[in-house]
Amino acid sequence: MDFKQIISHCKEYGFVYQSSEIYDGLSAVYDYGPNGVELKNNIKQFWWKSMVQMHDNIVGIDSGIFMHPKIWKASGHVDAFNDPLIDNKDSKKRYRADQLIEGYCDKIEAKIKKDVEKAAKKFDDFDEAMFRSTNGRIIERQAKIDAVLGRMNKALADENMEELKQIIIDCEIADPDSGSKNWTDVRQFNLMFNTQLGNISGEAGKLYLRPETAQGIFVNFLNVSKTSRQKIPFGIAQIGKAFRNEIVARQFIFRMREFEQMEMQFFVRPGEEMKWYEHWKEKRLAWHKAIGSPESKLRFHKHENLAHYANAAADIEFEFPFGFKELEGIHSRTDFDLKSHQELSGKKLQYFDPELNENYVPYVVETSIGCDRMFLAVISNSLLEEEVPDSSGKSSTRTVLKLNPALAPIKCAVLPLLKNHEGLVNASKDVVNKLKLNVNVQYDEKDAIGRRYRRQDAVGTPLCVTVDHQTLEDNTVTLRDRDSLEQIRIAINEVNKVVTEKTDMNSLLN
Ligand code: ATP
């Protein structure tokens, strides 16, 4: 399905709404509806279970969104959490200079892709790598991309705003909205939102809304290591809201100004960070595969341009409907954060390693994933239109959300064949009352049974139980499987076990 269809499906079926919609919306903020909140909670639960509960050496915390303002000075966010901003003087639209340049390169890449696809159709034994490395036009285009990105990365690393503007001029990049090339200079824009404490005026009372959850972990390092008696290597995890004043926030819940992160900081001995960095890269990739993301839609992207705190970093990219984009970051953050907090707070943030008999500031490997981006990855990977036989055997199109059953908002729908039949309704409600102790279940009596099935397909419900006249005679019901469309009869007293087993999250944990 294309991106527009995914967005409208999310709205129509109660997954995601635009924030403040009745006031024409608030840009880049979204609300999760009744099905969305269930799916999002299941994603969070799967992350928490697999990262915290399945690891003896990882513990969780839940720190405040507001923190002492000095924390953001120490972390480098006050001085360096910037994006290069450029305005178009004619359209008055604002852009990130690096994204304009990347967009220019994406267009060239799309042309290369087209040529590759064309050639692939012509030859049966098509060798893409060979074609890319020998075709003159592709080599030329690829060289152009490499040169422009090389220049951009250097300019970003040097914080050279004039050079960024020059690249935009040299590439003749126009405003995607208006086509105008009338640009302002590029300048740095800090992405942190701030607010003011009520009882302290001026700079001293200036608070930031956290732009990442990680700092809440770093500043609790001593508390947690003392109270949990964990020995290095160990990790601290948390899930929580983060806020960034993104310059351009398009692409639905991919880039929001208020979003949720699931982060884990793993504290290790200095010098051992690369081993753990590789370990967590593999572990996190395996997690994405376990949740059902196909290997072909996942890839690593190594950072050439390292953030001020990192000595190695890679993204796990997912193929969203608008291309491969960052879904998760795995960063080797060195001892940068703990050391900075140690210096600014004056408190020793060290660990005594009993095996080495020495004190040191631990190194950190971080895994950081946006919950909302994961939600979008799951939805865009699962939402399909497919041809299936209808009740009369003819082919018809259905929209189905083929979610992993453990993630499905509703695990089972219970449907009486007729809505005005007391016996069927009562028997259905009995099934619901037993099921709801274990799973999220929905009772639905409205419309013909076929339409009810389709409604459940569209929200990803893996199983439907239909209660009919035979139920009243022999205590059996029909169990319909979302994916195979198979319908089998099972005893009522087996429903709970079958549904619970089929939708159990434990099956995904290894
Ligand atoms: P990007 O380059 O896309 O802006 P980033 O490199 O700044 O992302 P990180 O600081 O590494 O992102 O944040 C970790 C994760 O948090 C990202 O991989 C992403 O999943 C999520 N995330 C970051 N910014 C946003 C946002 N504005 N909206 C939704 N999720 C976000």
Side-chain angles (χ1 to χ4, degrees), residues 128-276:
E128 182 175 332
M130 171 79 101
F131 182 70
R132 278 179 180 259
S133 63
T134 52
N135 180 288
R137 202 159 62 170
I138 291 189
I139 293 174
E140 203 180 293
R141 285 181 169 151
Q142 190 59 51
K144 174 97 197 162
I145 294 178
D146 294 344
V148 171
L149 290 182
R151 251 179 102 184
M152 181 188 83
N153 283 334
K154 181 160 181 350
L156 287 172
D158 298 345
E159 295 190 32
N160 186 344
M161 300 298 115
E162 288 85 28
E163 169 70 352
L164 282 177
K165 166 114 187 237
Q166 198 54 48
I167 299 171
I168 290 172
I169 293 169
D170 293 348
C171 295
E172 299 181 15
I173 298 175
D175 177 354
D177 199 58
S178 65
S180 152
K181 292 177 191 161
N182 192 6
W183 296 109
T184 62
D185 287 342
V186 180
R187 59 208 183 278
Q188 294 282 30
F189 176 79
N190 193 287
L191 297 185
M192 281 197 294
F193 283 101
N194 56 59
T195 185
Q196 190 68 33
L197 267 177
N199 58 349
I200 305 172
S201 64
E203 258 319 282
K206 186 169 172 183
L207 286 187
Y208 297 98
L209 273 71
R210 65 180 178 198
E212 62 175 25
T213 60
Q215 297 304 324
I217 293 177
F218 293 129
V219 298
N220 275 300
F221 170 74
L222 276 190
N223 283 336
V224 176
S225 64
K226 272 188 202 150
T227 51
S228 68
R229 288 176 290 116
Q230 288 284 348
K231 291 201 172 69
I232 273 181
F234 77 92
I236 306 176
Q238 89 165 315
I239 298 178
K241 289 263 178 162
F243 304 82
R244 295 184 187 180
N245 201 354
E246 299 280 0
I247 297 171
V248 184
R250 273 194 246 107
Q251 293 166 320
F252 193 39
I253 54 172
F254 180 82
R255 190 172 299 285
M256 301 154 90
R257 296 205 165 96
E258 173 180 345
F259 58 100
E260 219 164 348
Q261 289 187 314
M262 307 190 282
E263 296 199 299
M264 192 277 296
Q265 311 295 323
F266 201 69
F267 299 90
V268 304
R269 277 183 188 161
E272 293 191 354
E273 70 275 14
M274 282 307 148
K275 178 181 90 184
W276 288 109

Side-chain angles (χ1 to χ4, degrees), residues 3 108 191 215 220 233 237 239 244 252 300 328 345 351 354-355 369 386 390 440 468 475 482 505:
F3 194 33
I108 306 179
L191 297 185
Q215 297 304 324
N220 275 300
I239 298 178
R244 295 184 187 180
F252 193 39
F300 281 115
E328 169 157 13
S345 68
Y351 172 79
E355 279 172 41
I369 176 169
E386 61 177 22
D390 66 14
N440 194 29
D468 57 18
N475 278 328
R482 176 195 70 199
M505 195 166 275

Side-chain angles (χ1 to χ4, degrees), residues 20 29 45 111 127 137 167 181 185 241 253 257 260 282 287 298 328 432 476:
S20 322
V29 185
Q45 197 193 354
K111 284 185 189 157
D127 180 342
R137 202 159 62 170
I167 299 171
K181 292 177 191 161
D185 287 342
K241 289 263 178 162
I253 54 172
R257 296 205 165 96
E260 219 164 348
E282 291 316 313
W287 184 89
L298 293 165
E328 169 157 13
V432 169
T476 63

